[in-house]
mmCIF file with all atom_site columns, all heavy atoms in Angstrom:
data_model
loop_
_atom_site.group_PDB
_atom_site.id
_atom_site.type_symbol
_atom_site.label_atom_id
_atom_site.label_alt_id
_atom_site.label_comp_id
_atom_site.label_asym_id
_atom_site.label_entity_id
_atom_site.label_seq_id
_atom_site.pdbx_PDB_ins_code
_atom_site.Cartn_x
_atom_site.Cartn_y
_atom_site.Cartn_z
_atom_site.occupancy
_atom_site.B_iso_or_equiv
_atom_site.pdbx_formal_charge
_atom_site.auth_seq_id
_atom_site.auth_comp_id
_atom_site.auth_asym_id
_atom_site.auth_atom_id
_atom_site.pdbx_PDB_model_num
ATOM 1  N N   . GLU N 1 32 ? 30.878 12.339  -0.513 1.00 0.00 ? 32 GLU N N   1
ATOM 2  C CA  . GLU N 1 32 ? 31.776 11.195  -0.357 1.00 0.00 ? 32 GLU N CA  1
ATOM 3  C C   . GLU N 1 32 ? 31.267 10.318  0.776  1.00 0.00 ? 32 GLU N C   1
ATOM 4  O O   . GLU N 1 32 ? 30.556 10.784  1.675  1.00 0.00 ? 32 GLU N O   1
ATOM 5  C CB  . GLU N 1 32 ? 33.198 11.666  -0.075 1.00 0.00 ? 32 GLU N CB  1
ATOM 6  C CG  . GLU N 1 32 ? 34.253 10.565  -0.136 1.00 0.00 ? 32 GLU N CG  1
ATOM 7  C CD  . GLU N 1 32 ? 34.230 9.781   -1.447 1.00 0.00 ? 32 GLU N CD  1
ATOM 8  O OE1 . GLU N 1 32 ? 33.451 8.805   -1.504 1.00 0.00 ? 32 GLU N OE1 1
ATOM 9  O OE2 . GLU N 1 32 ? 34.955 10.139  -2.385 1.00 0.00 ? 32 GLU N OE2 1
ATOM 10 N N   . ALA N 1 33 ? 31.634 9.036   0.728  1.00 0.00 ? 33 ALA N N   1
ATOM 11 C CA  . ALA N 1 33 ? 31.155 8.099   1.754  1.00 0.00 ? 33 ALA N CA  1
ATOM 12 C C   . ALA N 1 33 ? 32.079 6.895   1.834  1.00 0.00 ? 33 ALA N C   1
ATOM 13 O O   . ALA N 1 33 ? 32.808 6.577   0.883  1.00 0.00 ? 33 ALA N O   1
ATOM 14 C CB  . ALA N 1 33 ? 29.727 7.645   1.445  1.00 0.00 ? 33 ALA N CB  1
ATOM 15 N N   . ALA N 1 34 ? 32.034 6.242   2.973  1.00 0.00 ? 34 ALA N N   1
ATOM 16 C CA  . ALA N 1 34 ? 32.723 4.967   3.179  1.00 0.00 ? 34 ALA N CA  1
ATOM 17 C C   . ALA N 1 34 ? 31.842 4.107   4.072  1.00 0.00 ? 34 ALA N C   1
ATOM 18 O O   . ALA N 1 34 ? 31.062 4.630   4.873  1.00 0.00 ? 34 ALA N O   1
ATOM 19 C CB  . ALA N 1 34 ? 34.089 5.183   3.822  1.00 0.00 ? 34 ALA N CB  1
ATOM 20 N N   . VAL N 1 35 ? 31.977 2.788   3.932  1.00 0.00 ? 35 VAL N N   1
ATOM 21 C CA  . VAL N 1 35 ? 31.149 1.863   4.700  1.00 0.00 ? 35 VAL N CA  1
ATOM 22 C C   . VAL N 1 35 ? 32.047 0.798   5.310  1.00 0.00 ? 35 VAL N C   1
ATOM 23 O O   . VAL N 1 35 ? 32.923 0.239   4.624  1.00 0.00 ? 35 VAL N O   1
ATOM 24 C CB  . VAL N 1 35 ? 30.067 1.201   3.817  1.00 0.00 ? 35 VAL N CB  1
ATOM 25 C CG1 . VAL N 1 35 ? 29.158 0.308   4.669  1.00 0.00 ? 35 VAL N CG1 1
ATOM 26 C CG2 . VAL N 1 35 ? 29.237 2.256   3.093  1.00 0.00 ? 35 VAL N CG2 1
ATOM 27 N N   . THR N 1 36 ? 31.836 0.506   6.583  1.00 0.00 ? 36 THR N N   1
ATOM 28 C CA  . THR N 1 36 ? 32.580 -0.545  7.269  1.00 0.00 ? 36 THR N CA  1
ATOM 29 C C   . THR N 1 36 ? 31.615 -1.450  8.022  1.00 0.00 ? 36 THR N C   1
ATOM 30 O O   . THR N 1 36 ? 30.419 -1.172  8.100  1.00 0.00 ? 36 THR N O   1
ATOM 31 C CB  . THR N 1 36 ? 33.601 0.050   8.261  1.00 0.00 ? 36 THR N CB  1
ATOM 32 O OG1 . THR N 1 36 ? 32.894 0.742   9.295  1.00 0.00 ? 36 THR N OG1 1
ATOM 33 C CG2 . THR N 1 36 ? 34.554 1.003   7.563  1.00 0.00 ? 36 THR N CG2 1
ATOM 34 N N   . VAL N 1 37 ? 32.169 -2.521  8.598  1.00 0.00 ? 37 VAL N N   1
ATOM 35 C CA  . VAL N 1 37 ? 31.385 -3.465  9.393  1.00 0.00 ? 37 VAL N CA  1
ATOM 36 C C   . VAL N 1 37 ? 32.023 -3.601  10.767 1.00 0.00 ? 37 VAL N C   1
ATOM 37 O O   . VAL N 1 37 ? 33.241 -3.777  10.882 1.00 0.00 ? 37 VAL N O   1
ATOM 38 C CB  . VAL N 1 37 ? 31.328 -4.850  8.714  1.00 0.00 ? 37 VAL N CB  1
ATOM 39 C CG1 . VAL N 1 37 ? 30.445 -5.800  9.523  1.00 0.00 ? 37 VAL N CG1 1
ATOM 40 C CG2 . VAL N 1 37 ? 30.805 -4.735  7.294  1.00 0.00 ? 37 VAL N CG2 1
ATOM 41 N N   . THR N 1 38 ? 31.209 -3.500  11.820 1.00 0.00 ? 38 THR N N   1
ATOM 42 C CA  . THR N 1 38 ? 31.717 -3.641  13.177 1.00 0.00 ? 38 THR N CA  1
ATOM 43 C C   . THR N 1 38 ? 31.869 -5.111  13.537 1.00 0.00 ? 38 THR N C   1
ATOM 44 O O   . THR N 1 38 ? 31.385 -5.999  12.829 1.00 0.00 ? 38 THR N O   1
ATOM 45 C CB  . THR N 1 38 ? 30.779 -2.959  14.189 1.00 0.00 ? 38 THR N CB  1
ATOM 46 O OG1 . THR N 1 38 ? 29.514 -3.639  14.164 1.00 0.00 ? 38 THR N OG1 1
ATOM 47 C CG2 . THR N 1 38 ? 30.574 -1.498  13.842 1.00 0.00 ? 38 THR N CG2 1
ATOM 48 N N   . ASP N 1 39 ? 32.504 -5.344  14.669 1.00 0.00 ? 39 ASP N N   1
ATOM 49 C CA  . ASP N 1 39 ? 32.719 -6.723  15.106 1.00 0.00 ? 39 ASP N CA  1
ATOM 50 C C   . ASP N 1 39 ? 31.407 -7.455  15.378 1.00 0.00 ? 39 ASP N C   1
ATOM 51 O O   . ASP N 1 39 ? 31.332 -8.680  15.255 1.00 0.00 ? 39 ASP N O   1
ATOM 52 C CB  . ASP N 1 39 ? 33.585 -6.748  16.369 1.00 0.00 ? 39 ASP N CB  1
ATOM 53 C CG  . ASP N 1 39 ? 35.019 -6.325  16.076 1.00 0.00 ? 39 ASP N CG  1
ATOM 54 O OD1 . ASP N 1 39 ? 35.435 -6.410  14.903 1.00 0.00 ? 39 ASP N OD1 1
ATOM 55 O OD2 . ASP N 1 39 ? 35.714 -5.897  17.027 1.00 0.00 ? 39 ASP N OD2 1
ATOM 56 N N   . ASP N 1 40 ? 30.367 -6.700  15.770 1.00 0.00 ? 40 ASP N N   1
ATOM 57 C CA  . ASP N 1 40 ? 29.091 -7.351  16.048 1.00 0.00 ? 40 ASP N CA  1
ATOM 58 C C   . ASP N 1 40 ? 28.142 -7.303  14.843 1.00 0.00 ? 40 ASP N C   1
ATOM 59 O O   . ASP N 1 40 ? 26.932 -7.323  14.987 1.00 0.00 ? 40 ASP N O   1
ATOM 60 C CB  . ASP N 1 40 ? 28.421 -6.742  17.286 1.00 0.00 ? 40 ASP N CB  1
ATOM 61 C CG  . ASP N 1 40 ? 28.133 -5.253  17.114 1.00 0.00 ? 40 ASP N CG  1
ATOM 62 O OD1 . ASP N 1 40 ? 28.604 -4.663  16.125 1.00 0.00 ? 40 ASP N OD1 1
ATOM 63 O OD2 . ASP N 1 40 ? 27.430 -4.695  17.977 1.00 0.00 ? 40 ASP N OD2 1
ATOM 64 N N   . GLN N 1 41 ? 28.752 -7.237  13.633 1.00 0.00 ? 41 GLN N N   1
ATOM 65 C CA  . GLN N 1 41 ? 28.006 -7.419  12.385 1.00 0.00 ? 41 GLN N CA  1
ATOM 66 C C   . GLN N 1 41 ? 27.001 -6.308  12.104 1.00 0.00 ? 41 GLN N C   1
ATOM 67 O O   . GLN N 1 41 ? 25.899 -6.548  11.630 1.00 0.00 ? 41 GLN N O   1
ATOM 68 C CB  . GLN N 1 41 ? 27.285 -8.775  12.388 1.00 0.00 ? 41 GLN N CB  1
ATOM 69 C CG  . GLN N 1 41 ? 28.209 -9.971  12.393 1.00 0.00 ? 41 GLN N CG  1
ATOM 70 C CD  . GLN N 1 41 ? 28.835 -10.203 11.017 1.00 0.00 ? 41 GLN N CD  1
ATOM 71 O OE1 . GLN N 1 41 ? 28.189 -10.698 10.109 1.00 0.00 ? 41 GLN N OE1 1
ATOM 72 N NE2 . GLN N 1 41 ? 30.090 -9.826  10.868 1.00 0.00 ? 41 GLN N NE2 1
ATOM 73 N N   . ARG N 1 42 ? 27.409 -5.064  12.384 1.00 0.00 ? 42 ARG N N   1
ATOM 74 C CA  . ARG N 1 42 ? 26.567 -3.927  12.014 1.00 0.00 ? 42 ARG N CA  1
ATOM 75 C C   . ARG N 1 42 ? 27.285 -3.087  10.971 1.00 0.00 ? 42 ARG N C   1
ATOM 76 O O   . ARG N 1 42 ? 28.503 -2.884  11.050 1.00 0.00 ? 42 ARG N O   1
ATOM 77 C CB  . ARG N 1 42 ? 26.232 -3.073  13.251 1.00 0.00 ? 42 ARG N CB  1
ATOM 78 C CG  . ARG N 1 42 ? 25.168 -3.702  14.134 1.00 0.00 ? 42 ARG N CG  1
ATOM 79 C CD  . ARG N 1 42 ? 24.936 -2.890  15.389 1.00 0.00 ? 42 ARG N CD  1
ATOM 80 N NE  . ARG N 1 42 ? 26.148 -2.827  16.196 1.00 0.00 ? 42 ARG N NE  1
ATOM 81 C CZ  . ARG N 1 42 ? 26.626 -1.703  16.725 1.00 0.00 ? 42 ARG N CZ  1
ATOM 82 N NH1 . ARG N 1 42 ? 26.010 -0.567  16.514 1.00 0.00 ? 42 ARG N NH1 1
ATOM 83 N NH2 . ARG N 1 42 ? 27.715 -1.723  17.454 1.00 0.00 ? 42 ARG N NH2 1
ATOM 84 N N   . LEU N 1 43 ? 26.511 -2.630  9.992  1.00 0.00 ? 43 LEU N N   1
ATOM 85 C CA  . LEU N 1 43 ? 27.058 -1.763  8.954  1.00 0.00 ? 43 LEU N CA  1
ATOM 86 C C   . LEU N 1 43 ? 27.096 -0.325  9.448  1.00 0.00 ? 43 LEU N C   1
ATOM 87 O O   . LEU N 1 43 ? 26.134 0.169   10.041 1.00 0.00 ? 43 LEU N O   1
ATOM 88 C CB  . LEU N 1 43 ? 26.208 -1.849  7.686  1.00 0.00 ? 43 LEU N CB  1
ATOM 89 C CG  . LEU N 1 43 ? 26.245 -3.190  6.942  1.00 0.00 ? 43 LEU N CG  1
ATOM 90 C CD1 . LEU N 1 43 ? 25.096 -3.272  5.948  1.00 0.00 ? 43 LEU N CD1 1
ATOM 91 C CD2 . LEU N 1 43 ? 27.578 -3.365  6.237  1.00 0.00 ? 43 LEU N CD2 1
ATOM 92 N N   . VAL N 1 44 ? 28.223 0.358   9.195  1.00 0.00 ? 44 VAL N N   1
ATOM 93 C CA  . VAL N 1 44 ? 28.402 1.752   9.608  1.00 0.00 ? 44 VAL N CA  1
ATOM 94 C C   . VAL N 1 44 ? 28.783 2.566   8.373  1.00 0.00 ? 44 VAL N C   1
ATOM 95 O O   . VAL N 1 44 ? 29.684 2.183   7.615  1.00 0.00 ? 44 VAL N O   1
ATOM 96 C CB  . VAL N 1 44 ? 29.494 1.887   10.682 1.00 0.00 ? 44 VAL N CB  1
ATOM 97 C CG1 . VAL N 1 44 ? 29.680 3.352   11.074 1.00 0.00 ? 44 VAL N CG1 1
ATOM 98 C CG2 . VAL N 1 44 ? 29.144 1.043   11.902 1.00 0.00 ? 44 VAL N CG2 1
#
Side-chain angles (χ1 to χ4, degrees):
E32 190 54 273
V35 184
T36 65
V37 183
T38 64
D39 291 339
D40 60 351
Q41 295 284 284
R42 284 176 298 133
L43 292 165
V44 179

